[in-house]
Amino acid sequence: MNVFKIAKFLQKGNKGYFEVPVNEQLAYLDGLGNASSDIERSYKQFLCQEYFVPTWKRFLWWVVSVAAIPSLLIILYLRGLRVRPIKKIDTIAENRGMTEIIPLELSSKYDLEFGVWHSGVGLNGSDIHYIFRRIIGWRQPYFMMKSILRITSFSPMITKFSPERIIQYGEYSFCSSMLTDYFHTRGVKNINVQHGEKLMFIRDSFFHFDECYVWGDYYVKMFVRMKAEPNQFIVSVPPSLNINIEEHNSPSCYADYKYYLASESEDDIRSIVASMAFAKREGKTVKFRIHPRYTDLNILKKYVPESEIELPTKVNILDSISNMEYAVGCYTTVLLQACLSGKKVIINDVTFQERYGQLKEYGYILAKDEIEKLSERQYLYGNLSNHRSVP
């Protein structure tokens, strides 16, 4: 079973982005009150995430956690006994192969080390003391178990390399504020970098880092509304969102319109291809770029010739965005990248008519009147048709 199948299984039964109205989410969030410590911030973020989890799964994790915690502590402590200091590395950054999303304020100021991110697991004596003093005793065993596992993934890294700061992409993790508290006991700063588009979704609530780099004031206001600590934010647009178009000029991958796919169903793809037919009738070129993990390429090939498919393995995203006139899609970070890089953006409200309304409700930054909709483009070319509306 690969990691994506495991992730899909773990998400089974959970409610997603658009299944709980924003006003209901925020009412639950506000009912939790404010947090008085970083551990409480993590716990309340955990409760916000549990709000979307079915009762049977909460009970399952409760049982598993109660049974696992004693053994975990013993095994991980024994493993931690073998961990020794190796060398000094001032700044360790999470290695996801996305260096272009790290703000220049960080990459130019610090010598970032990505190669030691996975440095084993283990707990030392001070970790055990911290866990019993700060983690054990909270009402939810799964919260305790997950916190222990997060500590055990960072402790060897800190012991081996004595970093002054750790940079990660973790605002969605309910352990993020707890790690800020834990890092401070080890003399380490916890720095976070926004790495994807955000909606008003209380999964990303209450968090606190020493510094949290976000893409604009819009996101600061959104996170603060969800009770994230307000003084942590630094607004910075990373290189990936402010592309130097001239540096990535590549006529071989140019198309007038590029549609950026995600995890669409076959019905969605059929509708999307039909929705873009107006461009080809006007003599424009169209390419469909697959998502490297979520798009089913075999389904896409049923409706689009291979010459119109753009593969991430052959064209990197910076080249892709630089060599087009219009970026088309529904909800994807690529559209914001294109917009901030001076490209024209079109939101698909034809295939995803209902979803577009939800995106406006959930605060999607591009779901606003001044951003062109696909229905408007079709109307402009006298080709408006009701292909299919799906949520």
Side-chain angles (χ1 to χ4, degrees):
M1 182 178 288
N2 63 36
V3 66
F4 300 113
K5 288 182 179 179
I6 293 173
K8 187 175 181 180
F9 172 76
L10 293 176
Q11 291 297 314
K12 186 177 181 180
N14 292 6
K15 293 181 179 179
Y17 272 119
F18 303 107
E19 295 181 70
V20 181
V22 169
N23 58 355
E24 182 181 329
Q25 292 189 44
L26 294 178
Y28 178 76
L29 174 80
D30 292 338
L32 294 175
N34 296 319
S36 60
S37 69
D38 283 336
I39 305 297
E40 190 177 3
R41 284 187 172 278
S42 274
Y43 186 70
K44 291 190 173 184
Q45 186 174 5
F46 164 78
L47 293 178
C48 285
Q49 295 183 12
E50 287 283 277
Y51 189 68
F52 300 88
V53 179
T55 302
W56 68 265
K57 189 183 289 187
R58 295 186 205 177
F59 178 74
L60 176 63
W61 282 119
W62 194 97
V63 173
V64 169
S65 301
V66 168
I69 286 174
S71 298
L72 279 175
L73 290 174
I74 295 170
I75 293 169
L76 293 169
Y77 176 69
L78 292 175
R79 293 196 62 168
L81 293 175
R82 300 194 296 268
V83 178
R84 296 288 184 274
I86 297 176
K87 63 179 179 179
K88 171 73 172 174
I89 298 177
D90 287 339
T91 305
I92 297 175
E94 184 170 356
N95 186 9
R96 289 197 188 179
M98 303 187 297
T99 58
E100 70 277 2
I101 70 171
I102 294 181
L104 292 176
E105 288 92 333
L106 291 174
S107 60
S108 62
K109 187 176 181 180
Y110 304 119
D111 183 13
L112 307 184
E113 174 58 60
F114 297 90
V116 299
W117 185 254
H118 295 292
S119 298
V121 295
L123 298 170
N124 61 31
S126 63
D127 297 332
I128 297 294
H129 178 71
Y130 177 87
I131 289 167
F132 276 95
R133 182 171 56 90
R134 303 286 284 156
I135 304 302
I136 299 298
W138 288 91
R139 291 182 295 276
Q140 294 288 344
Y142 180 58
F143 172 77
M144 293 187 282
M145 184 180 75
K146 189 68 177 289
S147 296
I148 291 168
L149 291 174
R150 292 297 284 161
I151 290 170
T152 200
S153 67
F154 281 99
S155 179
M157 187 192 310
I158 295 172
T159 298
K160 291 177 181 179
F161 305 108
S162 302
E164 295 179 15
R165 61 197 65 83
I166 291 175
I167 299 171
Q168 57 178 307
Y169 318 107
E171 71 283 344
Y172 62 89
S173 169
F174 65 75
C175 293
S176 57
S177 303
M178 178 278 300
L179 285 174
T180 299
D181 183 78
Y182 168 70
F183 283 6
H184 289 175
T185 69
R186 305 287 303 266
V188 180
K189 290 180 66 174
N190 191 14
I191 299 174
N192 190 71
V193 172
Q194 180 180 347
H195 65 290
E197 191 55 77
K198 293 294 177 179
L199 299 177
M200 189 70 76
F201 185 38
I202 61 172
R203 175 196 66 175
D204 301 319
S205 60
F206 284 103
F207 64 81
H208 175 217
F209 298 86
D210 291 295
E211 297 173 2
C212 183
Y213 289 80
V214 296
W215 299 341
D217 290 329
Y218 185 88
Y219 299 100
V220 174
K221 293 175 183 177
M222 177 181 290
F223 288 136
V224 170
R225 174 62 187 91
M226 293 189 288
K227 297 184 180 290
E229 200 283 323
N231 297 314
Q232 64 186 309
F233 294 105
I234 300 171
V235 173
S236 180
V237 178
S240 63
L241 292 181
N242 190 16
I243 304 169
N244 187 327
I245 301 299
E246 297 301 322
E247 288 184 0
H248 297 275
N249 182 46
S250 180
S252 63
C253 66
Y254 178 85
D256 297 306
Y257 293 83
K258 289 189 179 181
Y259 195 103
Y260 291 89
L261 296 160
S263 57
E264 293 85 357
S265 67
E266 182 165 357
D267 285 344
D268 295 337
I269 289 175
R270 186 187 305 112
S271 172
I272 288 167
V273 173
S275 299
M276 296 301 298
F278 75 92
K280 296 176 71 173
R281 282 196 288 270
E282 293 296 322
K284 305 295 184 180
T285 53
V286 180
K287 287 185 182 291
F288 298 85
R289 183 180 177 89
I290 69 167
H291 190 283
R293 294 193 298 273
Y294 302 134
T295 305
D296 190 322
L297 183 58
N298 292 325
I299 290 177
L300 182 62
K301 287 180 177 179
K302 292 169 61 175
Y303 301 96
V304 175
E306 289 195 31
S307 60
E308 294 179 4
I309 298 175
E310 186 176 88
L311 300 174
T313 53
K314 294 185 177 180
V315 180
N316 71 54
I317 191 61
L318 303 185
D319 289 343
S320 177
I321 292 172
S322 299
N323 294 279
M324 66 178 179
E325 185 174 2
Y326 293 95
V328 191
C330 182
Y331 169 61
T332 168
T333 301
V334 178
L335 297 184
L336 184 61
Q337 287 179 279
C339 184
L340 293 178
S341 301
K343 297 296 182 177
K344 300 170 186 175
V345 169
I346 300 175
I347 304 291
N348 184 354
D349 64 336
V350 177
T351 302
F352 304 105
Q353 183 178 5
E354 183 177 344
R355 177 56 48 83
Y356 178 74
Q358 291 176 316
L359 287 170
K360 295 186 73 172
E361 176 190 355
Y362 284 74
Y364 178 38
I365 192 170
L366 294 181
K368 50 190 178 182
D369 293 341
E370 54 265 39
I371 300 296
E372 187 176 5
K373 271 71 74 179
L374 187 56
S375 59
E376 297 170 347
R377 174 65 39 160
Q378 290 186 326
Y379 183 81
L380 179 66
Y381 285 90
N383 183 44
L384 183 61
S385 60
N386 184 18
H387 294 296
R388 193 177 67 88
S389 297
V390 296

